[in-house]
Amino acid sequence: MNTRTAASLILCLLTTIFTTSMPVFAECNNPDMKTVMMKNINWHSMFPMYFAGAVMTPSQDTTIDINDTIGGTGSTCTCGTPMSRVGIPYGMWEPARLIERVHDPYCMYAFNTDMSSSYKKPKSATKLPSGVATGTQSNFSHAHYYLFPAMSILEVGMDIACLEVAGIDVGYMTEVDPLWEKDTLSVIIQPEALLFANVFAQVACLPSTITDNLGFAWPGRWFFWCQGSAGGIYPLTGNHQHDHLTDVTTGTIGKLLFKLTRQAMIWDPAVYICFAVPTMTWLKDHYKVHISEYFQAPITSTLGRSSIINGFFQNIPRQQNYVFVIFRKRMCCAL
């Protein structure tokens, strides 16, 4: 055995020892956080825009939405009581929210803040959920939901009556939600999980999986318990059974959006032209997502697309924190 071979064997042995005996942490440092705020937003995903019932700017995304009526069907609209005002229907895809999936609890990656020093439990969010067979590929993720009305902050692209009166804020943290960690506890507020969290309901998701991967988002609204290649929505916890980090991440995004919609913490601004309204369940085709940190994806995708399509070069070692810009359908009666 020559010297080079011996050195290679020693290096492999040391790598194995240290990687198996030491806990694996993800990098929480994001010093250039201004990029996720404005630079890394895929502004082309705001299109198509609708004005007075007609397409003003066509879509430049890979999503296909032939059932899109966010611009209204008429040339005028009326809102307000007791005195109504007449306006013009206006619709767009608004970059309004951020959701980050983090590997370690209390890592506020989008804002370059690590609050984990006060976290009493061991770090590393990846674990084997209770009730899962040994050897099964499973992951657990925490997520943070941020209010980020980019168009209102910049005061562009919208009439003053359509601007959201809100600033950048933390909307939800799963670390403080005990129902996010236990599948059995989550059934307390989502008892329908007993009906949809089974293999038969997942087989019924096949049509939704096909349309989601092709880019047709609107048929998926009828399969509200499905999330395409990311798996099922139920149970509404951070537990996932996938072998690709991108599927785990998009699955976490979808679960959190669905959970907050069911808890009336997210109102849909594309159902009624005058103001946002709460919905009993989410309309999946009213959202599309774009990964902007750590890696900026070249496309904006529908929820549930396979990692084969949008997962290239996203599973980076020690960088398991990802920030997604959430584009939501927005309908408004502009003056």
Side-chain angles (χ1 to χ4, degrees):
M1 181 182 297
N2 56 33
T3 305
R4 179 174 298 179
T5 303
S8 300
L9 290 175
I10 293 174
L11 180 61
C12 291
L13 179 61
L14 292 175
T15 302
T16 303
I17 293 174
F18 281 102
T19 54
T20 56
S21 60
M22 297 178 63
V24 179
F25 302 142
E27 294 289 348
C28 192
N29 185 31
N30 181 24
D32 197 18
M33 62 181 181
K34 64 180 180 292
T35 59
V36 71
M37 299 305 173
M38 295 300 171
K39 181 180 177 181
N40 285 2
I41 294 179
N42 189 1
W43 297 105
H44 295 293
S45 299
M46 293 171 52
F47 308 121
M49 288 186 178
Y50 298 84
F51 191 74
V55 179
M56 185 171 58
T57 308
S59 174
Q60 300 183 27
D61 273 342
T62 56
T63 57
I64 306 169
D65 201 353
I66 60 177
N67 197 38
D68 202 340
T69 57
I70 59 175
T73 56
S75 57
T76 61
C77 54
T78 304
C79 289
T81 56
M83 183 177 294
S84 299
R85 62 176 178 86
V86 179
I88 300 176
Y90 173 69
M92 63 177 293
W93 285 90
E94 179 191 12
R97 301 292 185 264
L98 300 178
I99 296 183
E100 63 179 4
R101 181 266 183 191
V102 294
H103 179 271
D104 300 321
Y106 294 102
C107 171
M108 317 293 284
Y109 182 70
F111 296 96
N112 193 29
T113 302
D114 191 354
M115 301 169 55
S116 60
S117 59
S118 60
Y119 190 60
K120 303 302 181 183
K121 296 182 181 180
K123 291 186 67 176
S124 180
T126 303
K127 67 180 183 64
L128 190 66
S130 59
V132 178
T134 303
T136 304
Q137 178 65 36
S138 301
N139 291 278
F140 176 83
S141 301
H142 279 298
H144 306 140
Y145 175 78
Y146 300 107
L147 278 67
F148 187 75
M151 307 307 296
S152 296
I153 295 172
L154 297 175
E155 297 184 357
V156 295
M158 286 187 176
D159 180 77
I160 188 64
C162 301
L163 294 176
E164 183 178 8
V165 185
I168 301 175
D169 200 357
V170 179
Y172 202 79
M173 296 178 61
T174 59
E175 288 90 340
V176 298
D177 184 1
L179 303 181
W180 184 255
E181 297 188 10
K182 300 293 183 180
D183 293 350
T184 52
L185 287 180
S186 67
V187 180
I188 296 176
I189 59 174
Q190 289 97 23
E192 71 276 9
L194 299 174
L195 179 63
F196 293 106
N198 58 72
V199 64
F200 301 103
Q202 294 309 305
V203 171
C205 289
L206 182 59
S208 175
T209 303
I210 295 174
T211 56
D212 287 342
N213 280 283
L214 291 177
F216 292 91
W218 61 269
R221 69 163 58 183
W222 311 115
F223 300 86
F224 66 90
W225 68 94
C226 307
Q227 201 179 178
S229 298
I233 288 293
Y234 295 99
L236 292 178
T237 63
N239 296 325
H240 303 272
Q241 296 185 30
H242 288 288
D243 57 357
H244 198 285
L245 182 61
T246 305
D247 290 328
V248 173
T249 303
T250 54
T252 302
I253 302 303
K255 283 190 173 188
L256 188 57
L257 282 174
F258 185 90
K259 176 183 175 68
L260 297 183
T261 301
R262 283 296 311 275
Q263 296 175 188
M265 298 181 66
I266 292 180
W267 291 21
D268 198 323
V271 175
Y272 183 50
I273 197 169
C274 294
F275 48 80
V277 297
T279 56
M280 290 296 295
T281 184
W282 69 341
L283 299 177
K284 189 170 61 174
D285 57 315
H286 285 191
Y287 300 97
K288 56 184 179 180
V289 297
H290 175 249
I291 182 171
S292 59
E293 286 283 352
Y294 171 74
F295 171 83
Q296 184 180 12
I299 62 174
T300 301
S301 295
T302 56
L303 285 165
R305 260 189 174 172
S306 172
S307 58
I308 297 176
I309 300 176
N310 66 344
F312 294 105
F313 304 108
Q314 293 186 23
N315 194 354
I316 304 173
R318 292 185 62 84
Q319 269 298 349
Q320 300 186 42
N321 303 321
Y322 296 95
V323 182
F324 281 75
V325 177
I326 309 299
F327 288 83
R328 64 179 183 180
K329 283 186 179 182
R330 181 75 186 277
M331 185 165 57
C332 180
C333 187
L335 292 175

